[in-house]
Amino acid sequence: MTQHASPPRDSADTLASAGRTPAWRGLWARADVRTLSLLGVLAALVVIGGVTRPDEFLDTRNLQLVLTQASVIGVVTVGMTFVITSGGIDLSVGAIVALASVWATTVATQDYGFGGILFTAVLVGLGCGLVNGLLIAYGGMVPFIATLAMLASARGLALQITDGRTQIVTVDGVLSLGERDSYVLGIPPLVLVFALVTVLGWLVLNRTTFGRRTVAVGGNAEAARLAGIDVRRQRLYLYLLSGLCCGIAAFLLIVLSGSGQNTNGNLYELDAIAAAIIGGTLLSGGRGTITGSVLGVLIFTTITNIFALNNLQSDVQQIAKGAIIVAAVLVQRRTASTT
């Protein structure tokens, strides 16, 4: 009987490596394609804006406005990306932003100046995130239900605090951040804060144990538990992170609008989820991308700006956003089916 000699060990290792390499290359290729596709969409929107309203859209002040408006929802989206990557959802982010903004702009709070407003906004965001995290991680509630309850409660409390009235900010240190004199090399301070949060979010998700645990929990919570990850504690931390981002966003919104209102953050939850999804974050969890989420925010903000400059109705704008979301989800499903 003829015996077939087994390949040398080095050859077997080489074959195994060769079998693994295409998978990794395919993963990176898909990531690059997603990023390039989003950049292509954003570039196309810039061209459209430049063609339809060249004098207005390409004006430096308008571009600064687009980036400034993107900063508030962008910070919220960074936190949302972590939550969705873990397999969760947070429907309360808009309401938390509203509650944090009105709580931080009460007359009593403004007596403590800049520090009091910032501290209160962040503290309220963390408090709401803590409640969400405890209910979901240790109370066993479904994220959809727990955050929906927080949405209703936070909106109601914000309305009760303001009694339906707008609370005007009188602290000069806060208002000055929104003025052109505070710009750094032509960049608004709010954009710098957004950039810092984005960089920190990217580093945490891609370069730390916390980020790896987040992806593991979203991919397979039971497997993550068996691997020694405290899944409940991780989920608690993630909703605290989401609340922190909402608190920061609330302060940015206070600077941008110069006031606190119970209607602040309206539909932020939908915009943040949509931006994360079209950016490449899986709604089912297990994969997230901060870069893609930020590009998603910029795409939606640019669309809003173009529609406003061209005096187009908001309902057409919402239809366009809905079409983009559907297309992004279909692409995700097709990509998942081929892996």
Side-chain angles (χ1 to χ4, degrees):
M1 180 179 295
T2 303
Q3 295 183 349
H4 298 283
S6 60
R9 182 174 181 82
D10 291 342
S11 299
D13 292 342
T14 301
L15 290 173
S17 299
R20 288 194 300 268
T21 302
W24 283 104
R25 286 179 179 173
L27 180 61
W28 283 108
R30 286 192 296 274
D32 290 340
V33 168
R34 283 195 301 269
T35 302
L36 291 175
S37 299
L38 292 170
L39 287 172
V41 172
L42 185 59
L45 290 172
V46 171
V47 171
I48 293 173
V51 171
T52 57
R53 285 288 187 273
D55 295 335
E56 297 160 337
F57 180 79
L58 297 178
D59 183 73
T60 301
R61 289 175 179 260
N62 183 64
L63 296 178
Q64 290 172 336
L65 176 62
V66 171
L67 292 176
T68 301
Q69 292 176 337
S71 298
V72 180
I73 185 61
V75 172
V76 174
T77 303
V78 170
M80 182 69 79
T81 300
F82 276 88
V83 172
I84 296 178
T85 301
S86 71
I89 199 73
D90 192 347
L91 301 178
S92 63
V93 290
I96 294 175
V97 169
L99 179 59
S101 70
V102 300
W103 208 322
T105 55
T106 60
V107 175
T109 304
Q110 292 192 53
D111 287 341
Y112 292 93
F114 182 99
I117 293 176
L118 175 60
F119 177 77
T120 302
V122 171
L123 186 63
V124 172
L126 283 172
C128 293
L130 176 63
V131 174
N132 280 337
L134 290 174
L135 291 175
I136 294 167
Y138 295 94
M141 292 187 67
V142 178
F144 182 91
I145 301 300
T147 58
L148 185 62
M150 176 58 72
L151 182 157
S153 301
R155 282 288 178 196
L157 185 55
L159 178 60
Q160 186 177 50
I161 291 174
T162 61
D163 196 23
R165 294 189 292 267
T166 299
Q167 298 178 162
I168 304 299
V169 177
T170 59
V171 179
D172 292 335
V174 175
L175 297 175
S176 63
L177 287 178
E179 298 176 354
R180 297 188 64 83
D181 292 340
S182 64
Y183 287 12
V184 180
L185 299 177
I187 303 175
L190 275 65
V191 178
L192 295 176
V193 173
F194 176 35
L196 178 61
V197 171
T198 298
V199 171
L200 291 176
W202 188 91
L203 290 173
V204 171
L205 185 60
N206 296 281
R207 293 291 184 268
T208 66
T209 302
F210 182 87
R212 290 191 291 272
R213 287 175 177 173
T214 299
V215 174
V217 170
N220 190 322
E222 181 60 21
R225 186 187 67 81
L226 294 175
I229 298 176
D230 191 331
V231 175
R232 293 190 299 178
R233 184 172 61 187
Q234 184 69 18
R235 284 175 174 160
L236 173 62
Y237 289 161
L238 287 166
Y239 282 95
L240 276 171
L241 177 60
S242 180
L244 172 63
C245 289
C246 289
I248 296 173
F251 180 77
L252 297 183
L253 191 56
I254 291 170
V255 173
L256 184 62
S257 64
S259 63
Q261 304 177 56
N262 66 285
T263 56
N264 282 344
N266 187 37
L267 297 181
Y268 272 19
E269 56 277 357
L270 299 183
D271 287 342
I273 293 171
I277 291 174
I278 72 168
T281 299
L282 282 180
L283 191 57
S284 57
R287 187 184 74 202
T289 162
I290 298 295
T291 302
S293 296
V294 170
L295 289 174
V297 170
L298 292 176
I299 287 172
F300 279 140
T301 308
T302 304
I303 290 175
T304 301
N305 184 258
I306 292 174
F307 274 68
L309 291 177
N310 286 276
N311 297 318
L312 296 176
Q313 296 181 354
S314 60
D315 55 349
V316 181
Q317 174 185 325
Q318 298 303 323
I319 293 173
K321 285 185 177 182
I324 292 174
I325 297 170
V326 171
V329 172
L330 290 177
V331 169
Q332 280 193 2
R333 292 186 62 183
R334 183 172 181 179
T335 302
S337 64
T338 57
T339 55

